[in-house]
Amino acid sequence: MRTLIVTLLALVLGLPVCIALAALLGRTAGLRGDALGFAVLIAGNLGWIVLLFAALWQIAKEKDR
């Protein structure tokens, strides 16, 4: 049950956090307009995918125990 809760939290809260961090980094780098939007789209989704694989890896690791 704990694994399910951690996975759901990673997926539900992870995407907005990744998007916010990508927007912050893009603005800090001086991106504006469409370039900022495209960078946030790519970086936010890549960050979310990393969280997804980390959650799935954690599930597989716990199943092996």
Side-chain angles (χ1 to χ4, degrees), residues 22-47:
L24 180 66
L25 288 174
R27 293 287 286 175
T28 303
L31 296 176
R32 298 189 189 279
D34 289 341
L36 177 63
F38 189 69
V40 167
L41 178 71
I42 298 297
N45 282 320
L46 285 176

Side-chain angles (χ1 to χ4, degrees), residues 2 15 39 46 49 52 60:
R2 180 177 150 247
L15 184 60
L46 285 176
I49 289 169
L52 173 64

Side-chain angles (χ1 to χ4, degrees), residues 34-65:
D34 289 341
L36 177 63
F38 189 69
V40 167
L41 178 71
I42 298 297
N45 282 320
L46 285 176
W48 190 68
I49 289 169
V50 167
L51 283 176
L52 173 64
F53 279 115
L56 291 174
W57 181 64
Q58 184 67 27
I59 290 171
K61 197 168 100 174
E62 286 185 10
K63 296 274 184 187
D64 289 341
R65 289 184 196 176

